[in-house]
Amino acid sequence: MDRVISLSVGEIALKGKNRSFFENKLISHVKRVLQGLSIGKVYKEQGKIYVEVGEDSINEVINRVKKIFGIYYISPCIRVSKNIGDIKAAVLKIAENIKYKDEVKTFKVKTNRSDKKFPIKSPEFSREMGAVILKNIEGLSVDVNNPDVYVYIDIKQNVYVYTDKIKAYGGLPVGTNGKGLLLLSGGIDSPVAGFLMAKRGVEISAIHFHSYPFTSERAEEKVKNLAKILSSYTGKIRMYSVNIIDIQKEINTKCPEDEMTILSRRFMMRIAERVARENDIDVLITGESLGQVASQTVESISVTNASVNMPILRPLVGMDKVHIIDIAKDIDTYETSILPYDDCCTLFLPKHPVTRPKLKYIERSEENLDVEGLIEKALETMEIYDVE
Ligand code: ATP
Ligand code: MG
């Protein structure tokens, strides 16, 4: 009787010919997060991925693999051969565990016979194993319509017996869907945006704009910590850190006060696009949500967009703030995001920012600036580091 953890892959199962590519990516993530633990083989068997584990590392393995995108359910299983006696023993062992859970009074056995050479059909085998449990374990009865727990028996090359299906995040493995550059501020939204796009398989790098020494080193540290939390889901994240204080000063002296935010946002986009192209990254990602603030009206988004030629993914565009906050709490970025350190956007913040900017006027304002020169100069002092 071996202990294994099974990982259900959900959406990957729909991938047809590309399926192996997705599964292999997932397996490489599993191996990465389990580094340092003593585990056995990690292998595929008919649609699921299995990890051989020792009894005492089960919980740790579950906690670690829970954060890998592409996994829908995690089940601690007992693995046995296709010998009826062994299967019975496994079923009893599993049933014994559930007996001790107070809320569990009823069960149903569900057999999934992928190996059609196995001589007993699924419904019949479920009945037989149900009878074994009834006979040997006190206090449990069968309820076929609404059981408190299911006892699952998957008959494949090996046989797997389990009850728990622990829900994971789902999505697709990071690295199966291109690369994106996340514009990561210290706020609540952008880490959530990065999380959601990584969950769709995008490999994330992050760029942060600051106005040091007008913004503090602690503000930088905060963003680094947010990237670190994100990296616990995605693996290593490359960070690009760009000082835009000179750009802001230039805008402040040469352009209308109420255009400060939209003009600096256009600079951020251009710099991000430049960094992305130089690093083989295909899309930008922001935490913009329609209507949330002045710079996120349809008009502002349109004017921001016009500064670049690269697609910008905005996974939060239609989400309410309360929902975004719920996700931020769930993924553990919220507490860090609300730390009250200065952001570069609060510097020179206009009293009445334009909410319906017109591209024509914004471009006219930019004629007062050496856009290219300012970008080049900001990039010269860009810092690059990895967080993990
Ligand atoms: P967030 O909570 O992500 O800071 P926000 O609600 O404060 O968002 P804005 O300040 O309008 O909204 O920023 C919109 C988006 O622009 C952010 O989600 C982020 O992707 C990007 N952004 C803003 N400021 C920065 C910054 N200093 N560095 C990098 N990206 C930024
Ligand atoms: Mg912000």
Side-chain angles (χ1 to χ4, degrees), residues 7 23-37 39-44 49-51 61 64-65 68 71:
L7 311 173
E23 285 175 335
N24 292 340
K25 206 53 168 192
L26 187 53
I27 287 175
S28 74
H29 285 297
V30 170
K31 289 182 175 163
R32 174 179 57 78
V33 303
L34 296 183
Q35 255 167 35
L37 287 182
I39 53 159
K41 262 195 304 188
V42 179
Y43 62 97
K44 304 186 235 184
I49 290 165
Y50 295 89
V51 186
V61 169
R64 292 193 190 186
V65 297
I68 300 173
I71 298 173

Side-chain angles (χ1 to χ4, degrees), residues 304-345:
T304 305
N305 236 49
S307 59
V308 292
N309 269 317
M310 187 173 265
I312 302 170
L313 304 182
R314 300 180 170 90
L316 311 186
V317 73
M319 277 189 203
D320 292 346
K321 192 78 183 188
V322 280
H323 185 197
I324 299 170
I325 289 175
D326 281 346
I327 301 176
K329 285 180 178 164
D330 179 50
I331 66 174
D332 246 7
T333 52
Y334 183 75
E335 292 300 324
T336 304
S337 287
I338 59 173
L339 293 173
Y341 305 133
D342 268 353
D343 179 68
C344 67
C345 300

Side-chain angles (χ1 to χ4, degrees), residues 47-276:
K48 284 189 189 178
I49 290 165
Y50 295 89
V51 186
E52 294 177 345
V53 291
E55 179 102 42
D56 39 352
S57 53
I58 292 176
N59 288 334
E60 180 63 17
V61 169
I62 291 173
N63 281 336
R64 292 193 190 186
V65 297
K66 234 183 191 170
K67 287 184 156 186
I68 300 173
F69 298 135
I71 298 173
Y72 282 64
Y73 290 102
I74 303 166
S75 300
C77 312
I78 295 178
R79 182 185 66 193
V80 288
S81 70
K82 266 177 293 201
N83 171 300
I84 305 279
D86 289 349
I87 301 175
K88 261 189 206 167
V91 166
L92 283 178
K93 179 131 191 159
I94 288 279
E96 213 142 272
N97 285 339
I98 59 180
K99 185 180 79 170
Y100 295 111
K101 294 182 183 164
D102 272 350
E103 70 281 15
V104 177
K105 301 268 179 282
T106 59
F107 73 95
K108 177 182 180 175
V109 178
K110 228 177 173 176
T111 305
N112 190 346
R113 189 179 59 129
S114 333
D115 176 8
K116 301 297 178 204
K117 277 185 269 167
F118 187 76
I120 308 167
K121 289 197 170 145
S122 299
E124 194 185 333
F125 195 66
S126 294
R127 272 196 301 277
E128 264 181 41
M129 290 301 126
V132 169
I133 295 175
L134 284 175
K135 203 169 121 194
N136 290 281
I137 313 256
E138 258 173 59
L140 289 177
S141 61
V142 173
D143 182 343
V144 289
N145 298 314
N146 192 19
D148 296 330
V149 292
Y150 284 94
V151 174
Y152 298 97
I153 306 173
D154 290 355
I155 302 174
K156 304 179 168 179
Q157 223 159 303
N158 294 288
V159 176
Y160 299 91
V161 185
Y162 56 99
T163 52
D164 294 336
K165 283 189 171 184
I166 300 159
K167 208 165 163 27
Y169 285 108
L172 296 167
V174 169
T176 56
N177 207 354
K179 296 182 187 172
L181 182 60
L182 170 68
L183 281 83
L184 182 62
S185 70
I188 295 169
D189 303 322
S190 41
V192 174
F195 172 88
L196 290 175
M197 290 297 87
K199 186 156 106 70
R200 295 307 302 165
V202 179
E203 185 183 320
I204 303 285
S205 303
I207 185 164
H208 175 66
F209 301 96
H210 63 88
S211 321
Y212 188 80
F214 291 86
T215 52
S216 65
E217 257 171 63
R218 278 158 85 196
E220 269 304 279
E221 202 53 35
K222 168 180 168 180
V223 174
K224 200 182 203 172
N225 285 336
L226 285 171
K228 222 177 241 173
I229 298 169
L230 268 187
S231 76
S232 72
Y233 300 92
T234 60
K236 188 182 78 185
I237 292 180
R238 174 144 295 183
M239 281 284 298
Y240 301 90
S241 179
V242 185
N243 192 327
I244 54 167
I245 187 65
D246 291 337
I247 296 177
Q248 290 176 304
K249 282 181 180 164
E250 247 339 70
I251 297 173
N252 192 46
T253 45
K254 297 191 174 152
C255 302
E257 191 224 358
D258 60 351
E259 293 175 0
M260 181 72 204
T261 310
I262 186 86
L263 286 168
S264 47
R265 192 56 43 84
R266 278 164 63 87
F267 270 95
M268 288 185 191
M269 289 295 173
R270 290 186 181 107
I271 294 170
E273 182 186 38
R274 195 79 54 101
V275 170

